[in-house]
Every structure is written in structure tokens, then in C-alpha cells.
Amino acid sequence: MIRQPDALGNRVLDYSGVGYKGGTVPIPVVAVKTNLSPIAGDNGPQIQAAINYVAGLSLVNGFRGAVFLNAGEYPISNSITISASGVVLRGAGASTNGAGTILRAAGARPTASESNNVALIYISG
């Protein structure tokens, strides 16, 4: 919801309804269907293959399953795409000592002026 602008045209945006189902229900626990660890070099192909595998599974209560990324750094040289509904990409979280799951854009990536394809992860479907 966007509030009406004040006399100077400033608006305060209302983010109170963001989050899973508007923040009104807890985030569901989705069963892990495949588990990955970082490899040397570009991790994009292995992550995309895991996403594609889970995308091919049947929907159960609205979910196909989760791809779990163990703690570590995953350099990715291209974009990853989740194009099926019900696919969850989950990491090990983060901590103050740097442990956790990190997805890092690696290699030459197009700039916004060169291409509209600059996101690390695309979600559709």
C-alpha cells in the first residue's frame, strides 16, 4: 500500500504485508530432494541441474521440493533460472564468522547497458 504524498511529494511505503503469504503464516518446511556442496570453478551448471531435477518432480501440497546448498561459496558465472512453481532453493544460512551459503557472481557479467540479463537468479512460473 502506498500512502498519500505529503506537501513535498514524499511518500512512506507500507511494507507490513511482505513475506510469505503476507507474513500471516509461518514459512513451510519443504523436503530436501537434492543436496549440493561447492565445487571448484563455476557452480552454476550443478545448481541449475539440481533445480531442473526438482522442477521435474510432482507437486505435493504445492511444493516439488528443495535444493539445499551446504555451507560454502558457490561462484556462478551465468544466471540461474527457477521456472517451475514449488521449487525451493535453500542455503545453510549465514553467521558472523562467515560460515554459511554464499552465491557469488563470478566472471564477466553484462552490465545493464549491455543487456537486461544481469540478475544472478531468475524466478518465474
Side-chain angles (χ1 to χ4, degrees):
M1 178 173 169
I2 299 175
R3 303 280 180 204
Q4 294 299 318
D6 66 11
L8 298 174
N10 300 312
R11 295 184 298 174
V12 176
L13 301 177
D14 179 1
Y15 294 104
S16 62
V18 300
Y20 179 75
K21 294 198 175 187
T24 59
V25 297
I27 295 173
V29 176
V30 177
V32 173
K33 299 298 182 176
T34 187
N35 192 307
L36 301 177
S37 292
I39 59 172
D42 185 7
N43 284 255
Q46 80 156 342
I47 296 171
Q48 188 65 62
I51 290 168
N52 294 347
Y53 163 71
V54 173
L57 300 175
S58 297
L59 282 168
V60 176
N61 296 324
F63 294 99
R64 298 175 195 278
V67 174
F68 185 81
L69 304 176
N70 290 310
E73 186 170 322
Y74 296 77
I76 300 168
S77 64
N78 290 306
S79 298
I80 292 170
T81 301
I82 300 173
S83 57
S85 63
V87 177
V88 175
L89 182 61
R90 182 186 308 148
S95 68
T96 56
N97 66 3
T101 300
I102 300 168
L103 302 179
R104 186 161 322 272
R109 297 187 59 77
T111 64
S113 63
E114 295 171 331
S115 169
N116 290 330
N117 187 18
V118 294
L120 187 59
I121 301 173
Y122 284 98
I123 301 173
S124 65

